[in-house]
Amino acid sequence: MYQVVPGGAGGTITDGMPIKKMDKNSRPLVGAGVIGVILVIAAVTAWCYYIASLRKADLLKTELLDLNKDGFLIRNQAGGIVLKMGFRSGTLDLDSCSKEGVILRCSRSFAGKVNFFIMTVKPKETVMCYRVRWEELESDRPVEHAMSYNESHWYGGAETAVQHWPIAISGQQAPKPFVTSDVYTNRHDFGGILERYWLSSNATAIKINDSVPFHLGWNDTEKTMYFQARYQDSPYKPSPGRPPYAELSYRVCVGPDVTSIHKVMVRRYFPKPNKVPAKEMFWHPIWSTWALHKTDINQEKLLTYAENIRKHGFNCSHLELDDRYTSQYGEFEFDTQKFPNASAMFQKLKADGFLVSLWTHPFVNYDSTNFGPCVQKGLFVMEPTGQLPALVKWWNGIGGILDFTNSEARNWFMSQLRSLRHKYGVSSFKFDAGETNYLPWQFRTRVHLPDPSTFTRRYTEMAIPFNERAELRSGYSSQNISCFFRPIDRDSVWGYELGLKSLIPTVLTISILGYQFILPDMIGGNAYPNRTDGNGKLPDRELYIRWLELSAFMPSMQFSIPPWEYDDEVVAIAQRFTELHETLVAPRVIELAGEVLDTGDPIIRPLWWIATSDETAYRVDSQFLIGDDLMVAPVLEPGKQERDIYLPAGRWKSYKGERFDNKEPIHLTDYPVDLDEIAYFEWVQ
């Protein structure tokens, strides 16, 4: 049985009398008088310095921020320190500082001329923001600030291979480029969905400006994150005609609680979707060929896959035909050896009620028939001289990568996709890759890219014409693309490194970064060799079931390895949870999706969203909310049919019919959850 646990100066006067010669007895009095005068002068001088220091202290305060030569600190309305920022790359000459209205400005550091200022902005009565800027004017030395995080929990930044919630920093890392990367291949880099935004449990948020050549580092011993701007040894490039002088600028905002300050930041600084994707993508699962067949897909296997979906009584948003249906990478026609009659295949699938989307990518391999024409037209990213295309290596070979800053390359790529749609009735596309690690370290594009991650943004824009059912796996300032974003491929394992346990922290992180239409990758993971818990071919059965249950409470579900690859019991569990998704989850998600267009608020929310004063809520990484009224607590450990559950204060009803009316948060210890169950609780009005 589970258990509930309550959780002064004077002067000298002379009268013009003749001066008499002093006797020996009067000399000490004169000496004392001289000392008195000196003391008076010293006291007056000290008083002047004291008054000046008070004025300087007043000068170096702006609202709740205190500035000194080595950094600044910010307090909240209650007087508590919520942020400490140190200047690692230089110290300010405070004698160069002045204050005009809401701007505190300094013109020198002890290393030379700088443009430093802090501007106070008050967007709401309960919110105070500070715009901070340090720009070097005489040197190309880096600018680096160090933020202490030891008293709070932080969220945001980027998708990572080992994902925790809140952020768990380990070891030491010198500042490195904060740019998008494929973390399946490069597991110590930042991920494909990335924003320069962090949020803390003490109701503080930081947004780094887009113009900054931004590098991020950390030191877990010092409990510090390093924010650095530099151009040396970096993929960032200064704008044409500008010297490579670094500028570090960012906004810090402080509010009454973490949920409130996040809402302010999202509304002010994040683009928002302008439409909701097709409702069918929320209601019914997507079925992909990838994890089941990998590149060994053909016409017969695709038709059989579709037939089995119907045979076992499942609905389908659309079929996703993944890699590889063309003969070479970079071509846009079906391989006739594998798909002898693609037109008839599409007609058959359409007659059976299936829509089909196709996998695509930004590469054209050197052995593709399109490589030569693309070189002649100048459609590829070029090497630095601009004379030759830059060859890049990706997971399927070597070739050129299309330059999406070049309108001709964009038009060419779009014409290929539209041709597939027109010829076969393709419903949409899965846009793979797009991360900056597939660009050369040094390169040239048609339009100058000061920030290489802007390339990711340009690539995601290609999905806009297909966004009702499109899928992207990379994003940078791409929240308004209005399509589904998918975290990087998951391995078929239990743990935090691209495994089942990483799913909730990753979805929560992406949500906080402003991406709300989330496709949480394939149920059971990708079943890659040597990265699969199970018999080698299929993911572990228990892992698959627990993954399925969790996915049923995500905005969208995606199968690849079908449940009938296991047994009838797994098929029955899958049928029940896809139905539960359609009846319980999808209606809520679709309603919340409509609200995203106006607010940008997450669909999948952390528990602290409704429990901002509860320290425990900031550390829970295995539960989440859908909106404010549905709390989900899946089992994520092998061999377990129970789990501890944190239940926020409120009136809740469990999926078993139990009612909890708790004025304080409680913990349900060893709460029983059978293999074919997932624990969830609904708010009772």
Side-chain angles (χ1 to χ4, degrees):
M1 181 65 181
Y2 68 89
Q3 183 178 6
V4 179
V5 183
T12 301
I13 302 174
T14 61
D15 58 7
M17 290 291 291
I19 300 175
K20 294 181 179 181
K21 187 176 181 180
M22 280 187 230
D23 57 28
K24 292 182 179 180
N25 293 329
S26 60
R27 287 176 183 173
L29 296 174
V30 174
V34 171
I35 293 173
V37 170
I38 293 173
L39 289 174
V40 168
I41 294 172
V44 171
T45 303
W47 177 258
C48 292
Y49 273 109
Y50 174 67
I51 295 299
S53 67
L54 287 178
R55 290 174 178 168
K56 178 62 72 175
D58 181 62
L59 166 67
L60 299 182
K61 290 177 67 70
T62 175
E63 296 293 345
L64 301 174
L65 183 147
D66 297 346
L67 175 69
N68 61 63
K69 65 182 178 63
D70 297 314
F72 62 86
L73 59 85
I74 298 176
R75 303 177 188 273
N76 59 21
Q77 294 288 347
I81 297 174
V82 294
L83 185 132
K84 294 180 181 179
M85 191 73 77
F87 303 148
R88 281 175 55 90
S89 55
T91 57
L92 286 175
D93 179 356
L94 298 184
D95 290 333
S96 73
C97 299
S98 61
K99 188 176 181 182
E100 300 176 9
V102 297
I103 300 177
L104 198 165
R105 189 184 302 275
C106 305
S107 59
R108 292 193 310 274
S109 72
F110 285 99
K113 291 183 179 180
V114 299
N115 175 20
F116 174 86
F117 72 79
I118 298 176
M119 172 185 268
T120 305
V121 180
K122 197 168 186 178
K124 292 182 66 177
E125 185 62 31
T126 57
V127 174
M128 189 69 70
C129 294
Y130 306 91
R131 290 181 55 198
V132 182
R133 175 171 176 158
W134 182 309
E135 181 183 11
E136 291 289 340
L137 299 179
E138 296 181 329
S139 169
D140 61 355
R141 59 179 171 266
V143 180
E144 186 173 320
H145 294 178
M147 182 191 74
S148 299
Y149 63 85
N150 55 328
E151 297 297 331
S152 56
H153 306 292
W154 285 85
Y155 313 91
E159 172 190 12
T160 54
V162 181
Q163 196 90 51
H164 292 284
W165 180 271
I167 295 170
I169 291 177
S170 61
Q172 292 81 42
Q173 173 63 56
K176 62 181 181 179
F178 192 70
V179 295
T180 60
S181 182
D182 174 354
V183 289
Y184 195 87
T185 303
N186 307 292
R187 299 208 171 190
H188 297 289
D189 285 354
F190 306 111
I193 299 176
L194 166 151
E195 299 294 333
R196 303 169 167 202
Y197 172 71
W198 288 268
L199 177 71
S200 88
S201 57
N202 59 18
T204 305
I206 295 181
K207 179 75 168 62
I208 309 294
N209 286 4
D210 294 343
S211 59
V212 175
F214 182 55
H215 299 68
L216 180 67
W218 55 84
N219 186 317
D220 69 341
T221 302
E222 298 176 355
K223 304 300 181 185
T224 301
M225 293 173 65
Y226 304 137
F227 298 158
Q228 186 191 78
R230 76 168 192 262
Y231 288 109
Q232 310 98 312
D233 188 31
S234 171
Y236 294 99
K237 304 171 187 176
S239 297
R242 292 195 61 184
Y245 296 168
E247 166 218 328
L248 180 59
S249 55
Y250 49 91
R251 292 168 171 82
V252 182
C253 292
V254 181
D257 61 73
V258 61
T259 302
S260 298
I261 194 62
H262 178 66
K263 288 184 176 184
V264 170
M265 299 299 286
V266 168
R267 284 154 178 74
R268 287 177 66 86
Y269 302 121
F270 285 4
K272 298 173 188 62
N274 52 36
K275 62 183 294 187
V276 175
K279 290 183 178 180
E280 289 79 7
M281 286 193 66
F282 297 98
W283 286 107
H284 305 313
I286 300 163
W287 296 79
S288 169
T289 62
W290 174 247
L292 180 63
H293 292 297
K294 304 297 191 295
T295 59
D296 189 27
I297 185 64
N298 58 38
Q299 181 170 328
E300 180 182 356
K301 290 179 179 178
L302 180 61
L303 291 173
T304 300
Y305 191 48
E307 180 183 339
N308 282 329
I309 293 170
R310 293 290 186 239
K311 175 182 174 182
H312 290 91
F314 289 95
N315 289 319
C316 176
S317 166
H318 61 264
L319 281 173
E320 194 171 79
L321 176 54
D322 213 296
D323 184 12
R324 130 181 205 183
Y325 56 89
T326 62
S327 58
Q328 304 295 339
Y329 294 105
E331 297 180 1
F332 295 86
E333 190 49 82
F334 281 84
D335 180 349
T336 56
Q337 296 297 313
K338 300 174 73 175
F339 296 87
N341 195 338
S343 295
M345 178 187 73
F346 273 90
Q347 291 172 3
K348 167 66 174 170
L349 291 170
K350 182 178 180 180
D352 291 342
F354 288 98
L355 299 176
V356 181
S357 68
L358 298 179
W359 176 75
T360 191
H361 54 83
F363 308 102
V364 179
N365 279 8
Y366 71 90
D367 55 356
S368 165
T369 57
N370 284 324
F371 184 80
C374 287
V375 170
Q376 293 174 351
K377 295 175 182 177
L379 304 186
F380 292 137
V381 172
M382 307 296 282
E383 48 81 40
T385 67
Q387 300 300 310
L388 294 171
L391 292 181
V392 299
K393 184 177 181 181
W394 62 298
W395 67 90
N396 276 328
I398 296 173
I401 183 169
L402 292 168
D403 178 3
F404 292 102
T405 74
N406 179 352
S407 61
E408 295 178 6
R410 293 164 70 94
N411 292 339
W412 180 85
F413 185 66
M414 189 58 65
S415 70
Q416 306 301 317
L417 302 186
R418 285 174 173 156
S419 177
L420 285 168
R421 168 178 270 187
H422 176 75
K423 186 173 182 179
Y424 298 109
V426 172
S427 65
S428 192
F429 296 90
K430 171 184 177 179
F431 292 83
D432 216 347
E435 301 91 348
T436 66
N437 66 292
Y438 292 111
L439 294 170
W441 181 254
Q442 297 293 331
F443 62 90
R444 176 179 291 188
T445 50
R446 180 67 61 88
V447 176
H448 180 74
L449 290 180
D451 179 355
S453 291
T454 305
F455 182 86
T456 298
R457 163 69 196 189
R458 297 285 89 84
Y459 177 60
T460 61
E461 290 170 351
M462 304 308 297
I464 291 176
F466 312 100
N467 58 10
E468 284 208 343
R469 295 177 182 270
E471 172 188 328
L472 286 159
R473 84 168 197 193
S474 57
Y476 178 68
S477 296
S478 305
Q479 296 94 335
N480 62 340
I481 299 300
S482 304
C483 69
F484 273 85
F485 286 81
R486 172 181 64 87
I488 197 67
D489 299 16
R490 303 288 111 173
D491 286 329
S492 300
V493 297
W494 289 90
Y496 283 103
E497 183 173 345
L498 298 179
L500 178 60
K501 285 185 180 179
S502 73
L503 203 54
I504 295 174
T506 301
V507 170
L508 290 173
T509 297
I510 294 172
S511 294
I512 287 299
L513 298 180
Y515 297 88
Q516 310 309 344
F517 308 141
I518 299 172
L519 181 63
D521 203 33
M522 302 167 194
I523 291 168
N526 285 262
Y528 291 127
N530 303 319
R531 290 177 173 173
T532 297
D533 291 341
N535 62 16
K537 178 183 178 183
L538 293 175
D540 175 75
R541 181 179 184 272
E542 182 187 7
L543 172 68
Y544 183 89
I545 292 171
R546 293 304 192 190
W547 207 308
L548 163 65
E549 293 163 354
L550 172 55
S551 293
F553 285 82
M554 289 289 157
S556 186
M557 299 179 70
Q558 185 177 43
F559 285 101
S560 183
I561 295 173
W564 54 84
E565 288 289 310
Y566 292 92
D567 51 51
D568 290 343
E569 183 184 10
V570 176
V571 171
I573 293 172
Q575 290 169 337
R576 183 154 55 85
F577 274 93
T578 54
E579 182 180 355
L580 183 65
H581 177 85
E582 293 176 9
T583 57
L584 175 67
V585 179
R588 276 181 167 85
V589 169
I590 291 172
E591 180 181 356
L592 293 165
E595 296 174 6
V596 167
L597 308 186
D598 296 322
T599 67
D601 290 347
I603 294 173
I604 304 299
R605 301 173 181 176
L607 295 196
W608 52 249
W609 193 266
I610 61 170
T612 58
S613 61
D614 186 355
E615 170 65 21
T616 301
Y618 290 107
R619 302 193 303 269
V620 175
D621 70 346
S622 62
Q623 299 175 222
F624 60 93
L625 295 163
I626 302 175
D628 290 345
D629 60 359
L630 179 59
M631 193 272 287
V632 187
V635 174
L636 304 175
E637 297 278 356
K640 295 288 186 179
Q641 295 199 28
E642 69 282 323
R643 63 157 294 164
D644 293 346
I645 295 175
Y646 166 86
L647 199 60
R651 302 176 64 186
W652 300 93
K653 179 182 177 182
S654 79
Y655 70 106
K656 300 178 181 180
E658 306 153 306
R659 290 182 178 268
F660 301 87
D661 190 355
N662 46 301
K663 295 181 180 180
E664 298 290 336
I666 60 173
H667 286 84
L668 309 179
T669 59
D670 294 329
Y671 187 87
V673 186
D674 291 342
L675 180 60
D676 62 346
E677 295 179 332
I678 184 171
Y680 64 91
F681 299 76
E682 296 181 81
W683 182 271
V684 179
Q685 295 295 333

